[in-house]
Amino acid sequence: MIPRPPRSSKPTIAEAGAWADVLVRRRLLHAAVLGPTGQWLVQFQPDEPVHVLNGPADVVELAATIQHGIRSTRSES
């Protein structure tokens, strides 16, 4: 796998929100909500605990991790 180039800027709340929306719409997350402190509350399945992400960078990293998992699974089949 080719390593990703480093980002030239930090992820924004808008970018994290867009990724969170895509992950929920694609049913890769059950829920993702921006809290008043800038933290994100995410839940993978309705009956699982809620996880707290510290900010936009963590949401973008989660999206990248999920994408990597999907691509790895596809390349094996």
Side-chain angles (χ1 to χ4, degrees):
M1 182 161 102
I2 299 171
R4 287 181 279 165
R7 289 182 60 110
S8 60
S9 63
K10 292 182 180 180
T12 64
I13 290 174
E15 180 182 5
W19 276 114
D21 185 50
V22 168
L23 294 172
V24 171
R25 277 191 287 123
R26 297 287 182 171
R27 297 185 179 155
L28 299 167
L29 284 179
H30 173 68
V33 178
L34 174 61
T37 62
Q39 293 178 319
W40 287 81
L41 307 175
V42 298
Q43 190 176 30
F44 290 93
Q45 298 293 327
D47 56 342
E48 291 183 358
V50 172
H51 299 272
V52 178
L53 303 181
N54 288 324
D58 288 346
V59 175
V60 172
E61 183 63 32
L62 175 62
T65 300
I66 291 171
Q67 282 183 322
H68 177 72
I70 291 169
R71 289 181 181 145
S72 297
T73 303
R74 285 184 185 164
S75 64
E76 291 175 5
S77 39

